[in-house]
Amino acid sequence: MPFFEQSAAEHLRNLETGEVSSVDLTRSYLDRIAALDARVGAFLRVDSEGALRQAAEVDAKRAQRRPVGPLGGLPVAVKDILCERGQPTTCASRILENFRPPYDATVISRLRAADAVLIGRTNLDEFAMGGSTESSAFQVTRNPWDLERTPGGSSGGSAAAVAAGFAPLAIGTDTGGSIRQPAGLCGVVGMKPTYGRVSRYGVVAYASSLDQVGPFGQSVEDVAMLLEAIAGHDPRDATSLNEPVPAYTKEVGLPLANLRVGWVREHFGQGLDADVEAAVRAALGVYESLGATLHEISLPHAKYAVATYYVIAPSEASSNLARYDGVHFGHRTNEKEMLAELAADRKQLETACDRQGLDRLDSALVRMYRRSRSEGFGPEVKRRIMLGTYALSAGYYDAYYLKALKVRRLIRQDFDRAFGQVDLIAGPITPAPAIKIGELAGDPLAMYLLDIYTVSANLAGLPGLCLPCGRSAAGLPIGLQLLAPPLAEARLLRGARMYEQATTWNTTHPEL
Amino acid sequence: MSLSRVEVEKVALLSRLRLSDAELDTITADLAKIVGYVDQLAEVSTEGVEPMAHAIEITNVFRDDSSSESLPREEALANAPHHDTRGYLVPAVLGE
């Protein structure tokens, strides 16, 4: 088996027995990236020098029989939205093109402490806003299974990197499905932990009540390993949960007895692709054959999830992204040009004796903000900022924002009731396999509607996992989503592993 | 619910964005469509339902009131597009 098809767990065993060194393993991945990433575009930057240095340090630790961390020498790709001290952290946005954070995100610190090798930074939708990685200001990422198609998003670079065999493990973030959805569309395993399970400190904020960091891997075991390394309480994140982290790597292999799997009536309605429906129903059959019982459940408010999400997430985004003002960090417009433009505007209004226009004319500071932000943000980010500002503005707050927060509670209560009857919920991750690049350009609402199966978990704060469960007639990966109650990550991983062990979907890889 | 261009211009100012005429046209149409879709929330009965602002409803996370090392000024200013040794520099605000 070629090295890039081996799981992280297998690599780790080989590293521990000395069969391979971290430097050799890292170099193999770097060579593969150098040879093939021009076709995929998963990485925004690859840090060959830094990665080989970290790998050499881990090899030295092993040689000297010093303690080695749980990811000892394994390359990990990181979505370019987690702050890394002194390294560019762009969020795939022009506005942060030259930003270099003065500190590490807690997840980066934990990866370092676990002796991971940080191999490079992956592409994403600008500020994680999107489901296809097409809104990146810098490059398009292609789906390794079909280079004409998107890898999904927003963590499309991380998902594509694992699918293409450019890294055994990767980190993403999930605000409305941004780990699970690209995992499904690229045929890898991705997990969004319970809100608060992993620290958000140093993760560039999109929608703070929904954002969560999580792992990608080729197998459920790999995802368990990476989650265990990054999870846990962080006093620097006030929303981080002060709960012990179970030994996921030890638990993942234990099958669940008397497992009750729920399937949601509302998930199998109109708009679900026939191949996807068939694959998901077959997956439910696999659970039954493993001794689980299947239960039909209802989530009556599921159909309002997209509407609720597209009020709450943009509202939080409009507030969070107010920090990009061209003052503290990030892009700032050319000041001379800005002042000249303002003077010209004033002159024109004075000549026209337009008193109202003069009263409304921007101050220099406001014009500076407006020009800096308009130059720095791309269209999707502007759209969401505008949508959120509108939903929060006087006269609309009650009808949109407050209303959405109430429906959010109803969505959560649906899940609480459902988890009284079942242990896990299984269903589709997207209505259809990966879309073609450019297929939905110019139709943002159609793009948002594809989030129907993923956003509920973020609104309710639940952990969710996606793993491969089939191929479409065209050979594209199809994902199975599993959801569990808050903090039941171990159950989620064990349930996923049961399915994975009984099937072979993660043993085939795309040819590049 | 229809959104007028004037309304969208007002939202752009509140958002501290400046949109070209072409951008205003597109975004007015996009927002009208999205807001039209979101309007379906009105049909959900939410009487007596408490708003849920956060997935995990924790309140008052305390820590010891002790000081610790903070970011040196130089590093805090390093990313500013325009600064001197003491602070951030912005265009003149007063005296216009």
Side-chain angles (χ1 to χ4, degrees), chain A residues 366-385:
Chain A
V366 168
R367 181 60 64 90
M368 192 275 282
Y369 293 151
R370 296 181 79 179
R371 273 181 56 129
S372 301
R373 289 162 62 79
S374 297
E375 291 163 4
F377 292 137
E380 184 58 33
V381 174
K382 287 179 186 169
R383 190 152 42 231
R384 295 200 192 188
I385 290 175

Side-chain angles (χ1 to χ4, degrees), chain A residues 94-439:
Chain A
R94 295 271 170 223
I95 214 158
L96 286 178
E97 198 167 1
N98 298 311
F99 173 60
R100 285 171 187 257
Y103 58 84
D104 277 342
T106 296
V107 168
I108 296 288
S109 310
R110 293 205 172 169
L111 290 172
R112 291 191 203 283
D115 282 323
V117 170
L118 303 176
I119 197 166
R121 309 280 289 189
T122 57
N123 197 23
L124 62 149
D125 282 298
E126 186 177 359
F127 282 101
M129 297 181 191
S132 65
T133 314
E134 290 170 291
S135 80
S136 166
F138 303 124
Q139 68 192 38
V140 169
T141 298
R142 296 171 182 278
N143 192 313
W145 289 89
D146 178 349
L147 298 174
E148 299 298 303
R149 292 179 188 271
T150 84
S154 68
S155 312
S158 290
V162 172
F166 296 157
L169 298 169
I171 294 287
T173 60
D174 190 317
T175 303
S178 284
I179 292 173
R180 293 161 288 148
Q181 182 257 37
L185 299 179
C186 288
V188 298
V189 185
M191 183 181 190
K192 178 198 102 69
T194 307
Y195 182 83
R197 178 79 285 190
V198 178
S199 168
R200 291 185 298 109
Y201 179 76
V203 179
V204 179
Y206 157 23
S208 303
S209 82
L210 307 165
D211 295 342
Q212 187 59 195
V213 184
F216 283 99
Q218 283 187 1
S219 71
V220 177
E221 197 182 8
D222 288 2
V223 159
M225 186 199 302
L226 189 51
L227 177 65
E228 195 173 317
I230 61 171
H233 182 238
D234 178 9
R236 285 177 148 149
D237 172 2
T239 59
S240 145
L241 294 169
N242 199 352
E243 299 284 341
V245 179
Y248 299 122
T249 42
K250 292 213 172 70
E251 293 206 25
V252 64
L254 308 170
L256 295 159
N258 308 316
L259 175 64
R260 298 169 301 168
V261 175
W263 62 273
V264 182
R265 191 180 312 144
E266 291 84 1
H267 282 178
F268 293 88
Q270 228 186 351
L272 183 61
D273 175 89
D275 289 351
V276 174
E277 175 163 0
V280 171
R281 289 202 186 275
L284 292 171
V286 169
Y287 274 108
E288 217 169 13
S289 73
L290 293 169
T293 51
L294 300 183
H295 304 264
E296 180 179 345
I297 56 169
S298 173
L299 299 173
H301 297 93
K303 65 173 174 168
Y304 300 110
V306 171
T308 305
Y309 178 84
Y310 280 99
V311 173
I312 293 174
S315 295
E316 294 187 19
S318 75
S319 166
N320 271 328
L321 272 65
R323 74 190 67 183
Y324 304 103
D325 56 2
V327 174
H328 303 89
F329 53 89
H331 171 76
R332 177 153 171 175
T333 192
N334 181 312
E335 230 167 295
K336 260 194 199 146
E337 275 177 34
M338 181 275 291
L339 290 169
E341 178 197 70
L342 199 56
D345 285 359
R346 184 183 304 276
K347 199 161 180 196
Q348 199 189 354
L349 291 164
E350 278 169 357
T351 312
C353 294
D354 185 346
R355 282 224 53 97
Q356 258 192 333
L358 280 165
D359 285 347
R360 281 204 309 255
L361 188 67
D362 293 340
S363 68
L365 191 60
V366 168
R367 181 60 64 90
M368 192 275 282
Y369 293 151
R370 296 181 79 179
R371 273 181 56 129
S372 301
R373 289 162 62 79
S374 297
E375 291 163 4
F377 292 137
E380 184 58 33
V381 174
K382 287 179 186 169
R383 190 152 42 231
R384 295 200 192 188
I385 290 175
M386 293 280 293
L387 186 57
T389 305
Y390 175 75
L392 292 174
S393 64
Y396 298 108
Y397 180 90
D398 285 1
Y400 293 113
Y401 185 65
L402 199 62
K403 183 76 181 181
L405 292 186
K406 291 177 178 173
V407 180
R408 181 179 188 179
R409 183 172 302 280
L410 295 173
I411 290 170
R412 169 64 186 257
Q413 287 172 348
D414 283 353
F415 279 110
D416 289 345
R417 257 190 298 276
F419 284 121
Q421 304 162 45
V422 298
D423 305 308
L424 293 175
I425 295 173
I429 188 73
T430 48
I435 57 168
K436 288 219 161 106
I437 290 165
E439 188 177 330

